[in-house]
Amino acid sequence: MNKDFIRQSVVGLKIVVVMTVMLGVAYPAAVWGVGQVAFHDKANGQIVSQGGKDVGSAIIGQDFKVKDPEWFHGRPSATDYDGLASAPSNLGPSNPDLLKSIKQRQQEIATIEGVDVSEIPADAVTASASGLDPYISPAYAALQVDRVARERGLSVSTVKALVETYTSGRQLGFLGEPKVNVLKLNLALARQ
């Protein structure tokens, strides 16, 4: 072997080690540290606690089943709310399986809420891209108010006020749509 090859190999190896330490250890540690100091709650999954007990995450959808009528129900999940499998169904808008599940969800919601299928918002019957969306539209929340009030023995105005409290507007005033955090709304119901 020639000396230039060995010298270049040693230099290359040193660069790999230095870059691995810098980009594989130091940089991720620095980003983690800044996140812990500056954005502690957000960097740790925005865990929601009630009564000293962790009950969920404000940014990950929970499974409030349709068979539990006393709770507000979230969006359907293509992954059954499995955080490790977070993904869409990848079914296109004309896929017969997707259309069948949407029609089934529409009938189920129409029966439970006592409304016509045409009154059901899209987010009530379609899963989000992540399958873990913690929000529903104000329209879907409003559709559920009468049922939740009846099941919990609360006035409709009380439940409507809770929905308004947990409805957030567009980000920066113009991005996205208004939304209701289902977990926070249901926890407020539990405190009533």
Side-chain angles (χ1 to χ4, degrees), residues 133-177:
D133 192 350
Y135 302 102
I136 57 174
S137 67
Y140 187 29
L143 185 73
Q144 300 181 64
V145 165
D146 290 338
R147 171 186 44 83
V148 171
R150 181 180 64 249
E151 291 293 327
R152 291 193 156 270
L154 298 170
S155 70
V156 170
S157 61
T158 298
V159 177
K160 279 184 180 178
L162 284 173
V163 169
E164 288 175 19
T165 299
Y166 291 95
T167 299
S168 54
R170 299 171 189 269
Q171 293 174 323
L172 303 176
F174 66 94
L175 294 174
E177 294 293 326

Side-chain angles (χ1 to χ4, degrees), residues 4-18:
D4 282 340
F5 176 77
I6 293 173
R7 186 178 55 78
Q8 288 176 357
S9 296
V10 169
V11 168
L13 185 60
K14 287 179 182 177
I15 289 173
V16 166
V17 169
V18 168

Side-chain angles (χ1 to χ4, degrees), residues 15-43:
I15 289 173
V16 166
V17 169
V18 168
M19 295 305 281
T20 299
V21 169
M22 281 178 35
L23 299 176
V25 177
Y27 176 73
V31 169
W32 177 83
V34 168
Q36 291 301 310
V37 172
F39 308 102
H40 181 72
D41 181 49
K42 292 184 181 195

